[in-house]
Structure formats: structure tokens, C-alpha cells
Amino acid sequence: MYRPRDTRMPLDEAQAVIDAHGFAVLLDERLRASHLPLVLARGEGELGSLYGHFARANPHWQALEGQRVLAIFQGPHAYVSPRWYAARPAVPTWNYVAVHASGIVEILGDDATQAAFDGLLAKYEPDLLDDAAILSDDYRQRLLRGTVGFRIRLDDLQGKAKLGLNRSPEDQAGVLAGLGDSADPLARQLGDYTQGYSERHLADDLGKGRLG
């Protein structure tokens, strides 16, 4: 992924994007793709591991053991109008947040697959773990027979935040105002993310004595 210096995300920010936007495109070396929810286990190695599962009927998993894959996570993104900038001339652009995570696939056994499935439930709807009316033990066993769990041990994690933070304060303020006024919920989400990201990294810079 092309990442000019001002767009490179720190590791903790990239991991936070995965936590918030966990539905990924999983690509193998032959460019076969599956769309899957993935859960990040941060404590496994320097970069963490990703856990997920395939439907057993999906042939994609059958050739992945020991193979290197790429998981792409898309954060908020939106069109940016040149009318929002104070500086002229200007061109339209697209601001976005994305994370690329790469590593080696390990196909899991039944117990680890069940743990991965439970980890997904714990993230998105933890009450289901104790709701036997919906997920009885018998039904969970049938689900297990129809799924194949996997882990990706990450060896590369790259985050990109193309948010226009290299532009003047006036231009940045105009973009935030334009995104905030948009009827597109993704644009408003991007505006909120941009504001928070800018504030966090301004605070980091001040704390490290880079400004002032």
C-alpha cells in the first residue's frame, strides 16, 4: 500500500481500525477473495493474530494452510470537495482510512475453531453466548461441523490515514465542516474520525516536544 509519510498510522491506531471495522477482504496469493469478519488478538506476537472462520463449503480455505494472505480492512472514507478548501486552485480527492494485515494461515482444530467463533460472538453480541434458546449446545455442534476456523499470525501490519492533515489549518477546518454537513453518514463518520485522529496526534506531538 502506498503510504506517504504523513499518512502512516501508528500500530495502535491500525489495530484500533481493525477492532472498529472488522469485516475484511481476505486475499490469497492467487487473488482469490473471501469477505469475512475477523477478530484481532493483540497479545499474540508483536503485531497480533487474526481469527476467523470459513463456511466449510467455501473451497477457499482448502489450500490456505501455511500460505501467506492479505486481509484488507476499510475504515471510514468519503469524497472531499475542493470547495471546502481555503486555498485555490484545488482538486477533488477522496480521504480514507485503511489497514492491510498480512501473515501465515493456520487452520484450527475443533476446540480452537469454537473458541474463535465464541470470540466473534463476545465482540458483537456477548449475550448470545449464554442464550441456549438461540444457540443450544446441539446447535453449536452442528455449526462447528459446518465451519473451518483459522488464525493468521501477522508479520506485517500497515495502516494508512489519508486525512489531509498535511494541509493548512484553514483547509483542514473547511474539510471538517464539509464532512460534518454532509448527508452521507460515512462522510460524517470520516469527519469524526479525522477530528479525533488529529487531536490524538497533536497531543502526542506536544507531549514529545515536537511542537511549541
Side-chain angles (χ1 to χ4, degrees):
M1 177 166 55
Y2 173 59
R3 295 190 306 155
R5 185 172 298 276
D6 63 284
T7 69
R8 297 175 189 174
M9 302 179 74
L11 175 61
D12 61 336
E13 292 278 1
Q15 291 175 324
V17 170
I18 294 175
D19 289 338
H21 304 276
F23 192 65
V25 178
L26 186 68
L27 290 164
D28 64 21
E29 294 177 344
R30 295 176 59 185
L31 300 183
R32 293 174 296 188
S34 289
H35 300 257
L36 302 166
L38 300 176
V39 175
L40 177 66
R42 297 194 186 200
E44 298 186 7
E46 181 180 355
L47 302 178
S49 293
L50 293 171
Y51 284 85
H53 63 273
F54 289 97
R56 188 171 292 276
N58 182 348
H60 194 182
W61 69 269
Q62 296 177 6
L64 289 187
E65 175 72 36
Q67 299 299 308
R68 196 160 189 267
V69 294
L70 168 66
I72 300 174
F73 299 87
Q74 178 66 67
H77 60 93
Y79 173 80
V80 173
S81 169
R83 298 179 185 276
W84 297 345
Y85 296 136
R88 305 291 172 86
V91 296
T93 190
W94 205 278
N95 283 0
Y96 63 90
V97 176
V99 172
H100 288 191
S102 300
I104 304 300
V105 174
E106 173 190 353
I107 300 299
L108 302 176
D110 285 351
D111 290 345
T113 295
Q114 185 66 68
F117 182 72
D118 288 349
L120 190 66
L121 288 179
K123 178 177 180 180
Y124 290 105
E125 197 170 2
D127 290 350
L128 279 180
L129 290 169
D130 299 317
D131 193 336
I134 294 179
L135 287 176
S136 66
D137 289 343
D138 178 67
Y139 187 58
R140 286 164 69 92
Q141 286 301 311
R142 281 186 282 158
L143 285 175
L144 185 62
R145 290 193 292 272
T147 60
V148 176
F150 64 92
R151 170 170 56 185
I152 305 170
R153 295 180 181 271
L154 297 180
D155 55 39
D156 189 46
L157 185 59
Q158 298 184 12
K160 180 174 182 177
K162 182 183 177 295
L163 303 174
L165 301 184
N166 60 323
R167 301 191 69 93
S168 71
E170 295 77 14
D171 284 354
Q172 291 184 48
V175 170
L176 286 175
L179 293 172
D181 290 340
S182 175
D184 180 358
L186 264 181
R188 297 194 300 272
Q189 185 182 7
L190 178 66
D192 291 342
Y193 183 89
T194 301
Q195 181 73 50
Y197 188 90
S198 178
E199 290 173 353
R200 287 192 298 275
H201 288 275
L202 178 60
D204 286 346
D205 288 342
L206 287 170
K208 295 175 183 176
R210 294 176 183 170
L211 300 175

